Amino acid sequence: MGTGNATPEQKVIVVDFGAQYGQLIARRVRDLHVYSEIVPCDITAAEVVELNPAAIILSGGPASVYAEDAPSIDPEILGLGIPVLGFCYGQQAMAVALGGAVGHTEKGEYGAALITRAGESELLDGTPGQQTVWMSHRDAVSRVPEGFVVTSRTETCPVASMEYPERNLYATQFHPEVRHTEFGQTMLRNFLFEVCGLTPDWTMDSIIDDSVAAIRETVGDDRVILGLSGGVDSSVVAALCARAIGKQLTCVFVNHGLLRKGEPEEVEEVFTHQFDVDFIHVHAEKRYLELLAGVTDPEEKRRIIGTQFWKEFFAVAQELADDGRPVQFLAQGTIYPDIIESGARKTGGKASTIKSHHNLIPFPDGVSFELIEPLDHFFKDEVRALGTALGLPDYIVHRQPFPGPGLAIRIIGDVTEEKLEMLKNADAIVREELDAYNERLYQETGERNSEHSVWQYFAVLPDIKSVGVMGDERTYQRPIILRAVESSDAMTADWAKLPYDVLARVSGRIVAEVPGINRVVYDITSKPPSTIEWE
């Protein structure tokens, strides 16, 4: 699978032993402007040599090194001369591979712990003699391998950190990558810049330059097609490809009529006036409404919407071919967490051809494109930063998560034009009021994501009606459900503790301004047990 994205010569690989903090380690390295990527723990020394990393970090992991199926490090990796830094399980795996011993301690350490330094240490240079770190272990190194020196300990853990500078091997039982280790980033700086001699040159400018060059090299004089949804990932891919190849890119925006109020106009404005691309706006609103008429099952809604998208998309591709402008490449907004979670190992190389058997895209018989994924090495917030650097407006770059099927799954029951109009108008009020609430918090705290700011918020239209009174008349109309949550990763979420005046203003405006709505209720359920979305 090709990337359309160049990786820097300076690279740190994170060997993943199943750590809950695996991605966080890679992020912390990137925060220091050094490129990093994650590889599986069964990687061989030969594969490491092929990747040519400047440094290696061994992650933590949930297993015991002596368990029958415990993952281990290929010992030859530790003898390549490449600097290695191990965390927690990574330290234990390093110790066992080199002839040391790991023991099961009587008392585990979980959470904050106080380490005391023991002599000189390149890794701990510039940090206090005593400092707080974050521990999460029951096992610990009981005997260091030959040549290693202990550089810190706790009351419970005799080897809180160890190193063998002559062989460029370093390890800690604690987790420098988490914020609770107060000098953890200093330790990472020491390893990357003092031990490894790297330079912090992986900046947004260099990322854009490298990515643009890689796209141009991959595409040449051929044409690229992109399904532009208006979401963050596809919009950043469009902006990046526009910078690289201009009019060789065709952006197909399939308007299914299920986006939030004003969004189709925003997308068209950006990609017809700001970026010099071939932009095709497919008005499919009526076709989608006809297909969704009477459909109440959410999975059936998803199937219909997804299937019709590709029909609309490939119809445009065929029109381009008939017009003498055939497309050779399909650009997609795949990002790095998608690659990690799928278990795929990226090895680079040319774009690979994907045909009708591809498990995500229902290609028509005989149709094939080469795939380019310019964002496949970036985390979500890096994608947002890239979008800002490329000139995308904030309302696209910082757009909230939005389901692919759009408002169809925020309408409980069947989808009609009347219901869509009600939900779009109510949702616009929710977003306007809570945008303003978040902005007030920012002005007060100076933090974009303060403790009480709301991460995601939207309206849901349920398939019920309720009695109300407006003026002197009895009404029988629909309610709106307000959903607002606080979260950092969408894996878990808590309902937002909004002030009563904010809730009152949202409710008052919706009932007054949206015909057909006479009641607003607030969903105060966390995830789990509920989900953020309703369908």
Side-chain angles (χ1 to χ4, degrees), residues 56-135:
I56 301 168
I57 298 178
L58 311 180
S59 83
S64 168
V65 288
Y66 292 129
E68 186 175 339
D69 57 349
S72 60
I73 183 77
D74 180 350
E76 291 186 21
I77 292 175
L78 303 175
L80 293 173
I82 302 168
V84 181
L85 172 60
F87 298 159
C88 195
Y89 186 91
Q91 171 173 277
Q92 297 166 23
M94 181 188 293
V96 170
L98 297 176
V102 172
H104 193 67
T105 58
E106 292 183 8
K107 180 182 178 183
E109 282 182 305
Y110 300 97
L114 188 68
I115 63 166
T116 301
R117 287 184 52 175
E120 295 298 315
S121 166
E122 293 187 37
L123 189 66
L124 303 179
D125 187 42
T127 68
Q130 287 194 321
Q131 56 190 287
T132 301
V133 299
W134 191 259
M135 290 283 196

Side-chain angles (χ1 to χ4, degrees), residues 4-5 207-209 211-212 215 235-245 249 275 374-375 378 386 390:
N5 178 34
I207 290 168
I208 292 173
D209 290 344
S211 298
V212 164
I215 292 168
S235 296
V236 173
V237 170
L240 191 57
C241 289
R243 172 82 59 100
I245 57 174
L249 172 68
F275 294 95
L375 306 181
F378 300 122
L386 188 58
L390 287 164

Side-chain angles (χ1 to χ4, degrees), residues 348-361:
K350 292 289 185 181
S352 59
T353 301
I354 52 175
K355 298 181 171 37
S356 57
H357 62 266
H358 191 273
N359 62 354
L360 294 179
I361 303 173

Side-chain angles (χ1 to χ4, degrees), residues 204 208 236 382-394 397-398:
M204 200 50 64
I208 292 173
V236 173
E382 293 169 338
V383 172
R384 295 186 193 279
L386 188 58
T388 297
L390 287 164
L392 283 169
D394 280 352
V397 170
H398 297 290

